[in-house]
Amino acid sequence: MIDPAAGINEQQLVHWIERSLTTGTHNLSAGYQGQTLLYTETTPHLVIKIAHGDGLLRWFHQRLLKHEFDVYRQLDDFPGVPRCYGLLDDRYLVLHKMDGHTMKQQRPQDEDAYFQLMLDYIEQMHARGVAHFDLKKKTNLLVTADDKPCLIDLGVAVIYKAGFHPLNHYLFKLAGIFDFNAWVRHKYNNQLQQISDDDRAYYQRTWIESVSYKSKRFYKDKIKRILKGQRPR
């Protein structure tokens, strides 16, 4: 159901989505989990997220989309993410289209103000019981038209569960560390040797990141060079 305050005709929007999927039009982006459509017949414009796949794969991707909707509900009225209007027909996630570009496309003009606000958003988000877990990707971080951060793609975010849930609490803590590590990496553009003493407290490489780094180095220094006919380092 869509938030009535959005003034969106649900039946009309469902028909538009199904027609767009049939004709392959209005595509904004696509990935292995699903695709997004851009709806421009309202103000503001809307982004529609749709799960991909067949059978169990589609069920799994739909579960991720439902989870993302739950995350947005947890972050209702939070300024650091797009506004969510609802899960239409229990299968289409409807979001506010943010004007701007991704961090991958271009860094912010005022980096000091941007990254201070991004840090504030991360801390506020954690206080609300949500850790993003995937901020390392530059495509998951927008620079809005007014040069502010906006965190997107919350499908793998962790929602903290009160009570005795040790695995959930471990994942929430781990995801929180990932979020702060990503903030440091973006702020210093991966030049970690330049981290200030104040910011160093926010960076804590996890065992997952250590294994990932070593695996990438092994592939680059050994496997890739062998495949090119070169002597491994």
Side-chain angles (χ1 to χ4, degrees), residues 6 30-31 52 65 108 124-125 127 132 142 167 176 205 211 215 217 229:
H52 268 180
L65 200 63
Q124 293 170 26
M125 182 173 61
H132 190 288
L142 296 182
L167 179 58
R205 177 178 283 183
V211 170
S215 298
R217 291 303 307 177

Side-chain angles (χ1 to χ4, degrees), residues 100-108 111 114-115 118 135-144 149-150 183 186-187 189:
H101 54 269
T102 68
M103 177 68 75
K104 184 176 182 179
Q105 293 171 309
Q106 185 177 336
R107 292 178 67 83
E111 294 197 7
Y114 180 94
F115 286 109
M118 180 184 172
L135 283 177
K136 185 178 180 180
K137 292 181 181 177
K138 293 183 178 181
T139 52
N140 287 349
L141 186 59
L142 296 182
V143 180
T144 64
C150 182
W183 173 77
H186 288 311
K187 180 177 180 179
N189 204 18

